[in-house]
Amino acid sequence: MITEKFECAREGKTIRGHVYRPEGTKLPVMIVSHGFMSTGRTVKNEAINFAARGYAAVACDFNGGGIGSKSDGKSVDMSVLTEVKDLYAIIEAVKKLPYADPADISLCGCSQGGLVSAMVAAELKDQIKRLILLYPALCIPDDANAGKMMWAKFDPKNVPEKVRCGPMLLGHDYITDAQTLDVYSKIRGYSGPVLIIHGSNDKVVAVDYSKKAFAQYLKDQGGKPSANCQLVIINRGNHGLRGLMGRSWMDYAFFAIDKFLEGKALVLNVDVKLTTKDTEKLQKGKRVKAYFTGVSESPFFNGDVQPGAYDEQVYYGITPDSCHAVYNVSGKDHTGTDCNVQIINDMPSGGKKDWAKGWKPTVSADSDALHFLNGQQCETYAEMRRSGPFIHIFARP
């Protein structure tokens, strides 16, 4: 991994950051934009993850954008619209890097950086290869018009010249620029691959904003679920996907990003609810057969786990040495047609011990719309909970 400083200018102000990349030329580029009150250093881990996947990942401080920013500019002069201009300048500078492929530039934006990235992608259209939005702050205009933005409170009809927002001082234009934004109009027009990732328990930006954006992107791309337009909701995830569970939340987020980059989509969610279990003693271990119910909700299929679903595990120590799960889910596919889906998940003795990911279930469906599942090697990520795992199944539609 190579780490090097990056600089460019916008209207006389220097934007500073870093590039994280592997060796090589004609590298695809991922520009990672930070959120409100943050800097490029707060998205360093995200950038490094993209670099590990072969990208030249660029993470900069927007001018006046956050506490401890290394770029020029003051926070009182910053707004969503100035950050849009900054991102344009970064894109133009990145195209000139000797190791970058100027025809393969993607955007990944976090929170406010997500809104900025979505707006720029809509304007540049096919110049942006793909768009990844992590908990995008599409709520900013609504908050500005309500007179309450994070810690800042003000009269939305009589905006003061400066507003204190926690440790950061905002200018009049930050609020008035936001008040004039029609978010869903501004992000419309981008038809490239889009992935939105949002936590279900986000208290800063309600997940409903991402659901509405996903519905709009999906409609603009023809209305049918595909690998090119995805919404991944992380169960119990908060804003920023940080905190006690942050590592597992970000692990799932990057698993979903990996599948997105491979052209795969989240096709099935199964919210498992454990009911009863039987335990059988073996000569040197035990066999546990756990029964469960559950529901499946996803853009491709909605239904209920049928009676008789079970997961059988054999233990010769603390963790299972082998697993065998079989369950049937009945409901409707995305065309509204009645459908049955069978899922068989096996880990043979001595198999993989990473319980979150790495499973490759066999999935079959009696629906024409889901026929692509039959015979395909799917991949699974499991969010572990006491009540039962939340299973996410990815495949290539």
Side-chain angles (χ1 to χ4, degrees):
M1 173 105 42
I2 298 170
T3 301
E4 55 193 19
K5 291 183 178 180
F6 173 89
E7 286 189 2
C8 66
R10 191 267 296 173
E11 297 175 1
K13 293 183 177 67
T14 300
I15 301 168
R16 299 178 176 89
H18 290 85
V19 180
Y20 308 88
R21 64 180 179 90
E23 293 184 356
T25 58
K26 297 286 283 185
L27 296 174
V29 175
M30 183 68 71
I31 300 173
V32 186
S33 295
H34 66 77
F36 177 73
M37 216 182 310
S38 300
T39 67
R41 296 183 297 284
T42 61
V43 293
K44 178 181 177 179
N45 287 340
E46 286 83 346
I48 289 174
N49 269 301
F50 282 116
R53 288 154 175 81
Y55 284 83
V58 183
C60 296
D61 301 354
F62 286 125
N63 283 318
I67 304 299
S69 174
K70 301 298 184 182
S71 295
D72 292 346
K74 299 178 181 179
S75 63
V76 292
D77 298 321
M78 177 273 296
S79 76
V80 170
L81 298 185
T82 66
E83 291 194 352
V84 165
K85 292 179 182 180
D86 287 348
L87 185 50
Y88 270 117
I90 294 167
I91 291 170
E92 288 306 308
V94 162
K95 290 178 180 178
K96 300 173 185 177
L97 295 175
Y99 47 78
D101 183 352
D104 195 342
I105 296 177
S106 300
L107 303 179
C108 174
C110 306
S111 195
Q112 180 168 298
L115 171 57
V116 170
S117 298
M119 291 172 61
V120 170
E123 294 176 6
L124 294 183
K125 296 181 171 55
D126 58 2
Q127 294 182 52
I128 302 302
K129 193 80 169 182
R130 58 191 64 79
L131 177 64
I132 299 173
L133 305 177
L134 304 179
Y135 41 92
L138 305 178
C139 64
I140 288 176
D142 285 349
D143 290 351
N145 284 298
K148 188 178 185 300
M149 307 183 75
M150 300 286 284
W151 302 281
K153 294 183 180 180
F154 50 87
D155 180 355
K157 295 182 179 179
N158 187 25
V159 180
E161 285 303 307
K162 296 179 181 179
V163 176
R164 172 62 61 182
C165 185
M168 194 164 170
L169 198 61
L170 301 177
H172 174 275
D173 289 353
Y174 181 89
I175 296 165
T176 55
D177 281 356
Q179 287 177 332
T180 62
L181 284 179
D182 181 347
V183 164
Y184 295 100
S185 174
K186 283 291 185 180
I187 68 173
R188 172 166 282 148
Y190 181 70
S191 58
V194 179
L195 170 64
I196 306 174
I197 298 177
H198 210 125
S200 65
N201 285 359
D202 193 330
K203 304 301 183 184
V204 177
V205 183
V207 70
D208 287 347
Y209 283 95
S210 281
K211 289 180 179 179
K212 184 175 179 180
F214 168 70
Q216 178 173 294
Y217 282 124
L218 191 64
K219 182 178 179 181
D220 291 345
Q221 294 192 16
K224 296 180 180 179
S226 72
N228 274 355
C229 187
Q230 298 186 48
L231 171 63
V232 171
I233 297 176
I234 296 183
N235 186 47
R236 299 175 295 168
N238 60 14
H239 192 71
L241 304 177
R242 299 293 195 268
L244 184 62
M245 293 290 295
R247 181 175 295 180
S248 62
W249 289 334
M250 286 306 300
D251 186 59
Y252 175 40
F254 261 93
F255 182 89
I257 288 171
D258 278 343
K259 300 308 115 185
F260 173 70
L261 296 176
E262 294 169 9
K264 296 179 181 179
L266 174 61
V267 296
L268 293 171
N269 286 316
V270 184
D271 186 356
V272 171
K273 301 296 183 186
L274 298 174
T275 55
T276 61
K277 66 178 181 180
D278 297 329
T279 301
E280 175 189 354
K281 289 185 178 181
L282 303 177
Q283 186 174 358
K284 295 183 179 180
K286 63 180 178 180
R287 177 183 288 109
V288 178
K289 194 168 186 178
Y291 296 90
F292 59 89
T293 61
V295 296
S296 176
E297 295 180 352
S298 76
F300 287 84
F301 174 83
N302 292 294
D304 297 299
V305 175
Q306 297 302 294
Y310 69 90
D311 183 357
E312 185 177 82
Q313 303 175 359
V314 175
Y315 292 79
Y316 292 105
I318 297 175
T319 59
D321 286 78
S322 65
C323 296
H324 175 71
V326 179
Y327 50 106
N328 296 292
V329 192
S330 296
K332 294 182 181 295
D333 64 27
H334 59 83
T335 69
T337 303
D338 290 340
C339 176
N340 295 293
V341 176
Q342 184 186 63
I343 301 166
I344 301 176
N345 213 1
D346 278 302
M347 184 191 80
S349 180
K352 190 174 179 64
K353 296 300 190 296
D354 186 340
W355 296 102
K357 55 189 175 182
W359 299 88
K360 299 185 185 300
T362 300
V363 183
S364 56
D366 59 5
S367 158
D368 289 340
L370 299 180
H371 73 280
F372 62 87
L373 290 169
N374 299 331
Q376 183 178 168
Q377 188 176 68
C378 301
E379 294 183 73
T380 296
Y381 191 97
E383 292 184 79
M384 308 308 291
R385 305 169 303 171
R386 289 184 179 181
S387 60
F390 200 115
I391 306 296
H392 310 280
I393 298 176
F394 292 76
R396 192 182 304 277

